[in-house]
Amino acid sequence: MPAEAMRPVLIYGAGGFGREVVSWLRTDSRAGMCPVAFIDDAETSTECAGLPVGTLADMAKRYPEAGVIVALGGGDSRYSAAERIEAAGLRPESYMHSSVLAGERVEIGRGSLIMPGSILTCDIRIGAFVVVNCSCNIGHDVEIGRYSTLLGNNSLNGEVKVGEFVTIGSRATIHPGRRIGDRSIVGIGSVVIKSVRENITVFGAPAKAL
């Protein structure tokens, strides 16, 4: 797609994840979005990945028509960013990489990011500002609450329910029908065979509370 036909987007977060998102947008011929600048209120640098870096206030003035992709790793950070974006009158953008295989009746909430190589089967609901990192497999009838994070190579089998502000570590597996409560953490490589209540961390195979 010619650059002039793509809509401009600001990347909220000039860290490693933000640079990854910029790289995917630049190399994804079907993205339909062109990154024009980073938002970083710490302003530790003036340039990142060849793009200018500035505060939210500065970038809202420079690019009032641009959408915003929130490329922050933590759910609480994305929550704060989303509040500030909307207060500034900017528009959050969702993005699903063109390599993602998505079946029928898959709903992606506003501001959510689905990274390369993931498979979303059917009848899936993903809430607002969720991050699904690379190569995740999400089965039928899965629900993922807002501001949750899948860190990559996760397997969520059929009818899994993930609450809000949950973090699921890389290569974790959630067995069918299990629930992960709000603000819980599933450790790297864990295998969840029992539902997890709210506000706890589980780890291991099988996963147990720490």
Side-chain angles (χ1 to χ4, degrees):
M1 182 180 295
E4 60 272 16
M6 297 191 290
R7 62 188 186 277
V9 290
L10 301 165
I11 308 301
Y12 202 125
F17 186 35
R19 287 185 282 113
E20 287 179 347
V21 171
V22 167
S23 181
W24 295 131
L25 289 172
R26 286 172 169 168
T27 57
D28 184 356
S29 61
R30 290 184 282 173
M33 293 182 280
C34 177
V36 294
F38 285 96
I39 296 170
D40 186 346
D41 290 309
E43 282 194 298
T44 54
S45 64
T46 58
E47 184 177 302
C48 180
L51 298 176
V53 179
T55 65
L56 174 60
D58 290 341
M59 293 307 175
K61 290 178 182 177
R62 289 178 62 180
Y63 303 98
E65 302 302 318
V68 183
I69 289 179
V70 180
L72 299 171
D76 287 314
S77 297
R78 293 198 297 277
Y79 176 82
S80 297
E83 296 265 296
R84 300 188 67 226
I85 288 165
E86 294 185 348
L90 296 175
R91 180 185 69 257
E93 294 275 5
S94 302
Y95 170 57
M96 181 164 66
H97 193 272
S98 62
S99 66
V100 173
L101 299 179
E104 296 180 316
R105 299 172 299 281
V106 173
E107 300 177 17
I108 308 296
R110 67 190 182 93
S112 289
L113 306 178
I114 316 297
M115 296 291 98
S118 292
I119 299 173
L120 286 64
T121 60
C122 67
D123 299 293
I124 293 166
R125 295 176 61 188
I126 295 176
F129 296 97
V130 169
V131 169
V132 176
N133 222 312
C134 300
S135 302
C136 290
N137 293 327
I138 301 178
H140 65 86
D141 300 292
V142 166
E143 296 180 11
I144 302 175
R146 61 189 190 132
Y147 301 103
S148 288
T149 308
L150 277 62
L151 288 175
N153 292 283
N154 299 138
S155 293
L156 275 61
N157 291 291
E159 300 180 350
V160 166
K161 310 299 184 208
V162 176
E164 299 180 352
F165 295 91
V166 169
T167 299
I168 300 179
S170 301
R171 298 191 180 278
T173 299
I174 316 297
H175 277 221
R178 302 305 185 258
R179 269 68 173 162
I180 310 296
D182 295 347
R183 293 192 172 276
S184 285
I185 298 171
V186 177
I188 293 172
S190 294
V191 178
V192 175
I193 62 173
K194 295 182 180 179
S195 292
V196 176
R197 64 181 186 274
E198 297 179 359
N199 293 297
I200 66 168
T201 297
V202 298
F203 179 76
K208 296 180 180 179
L210 295 180

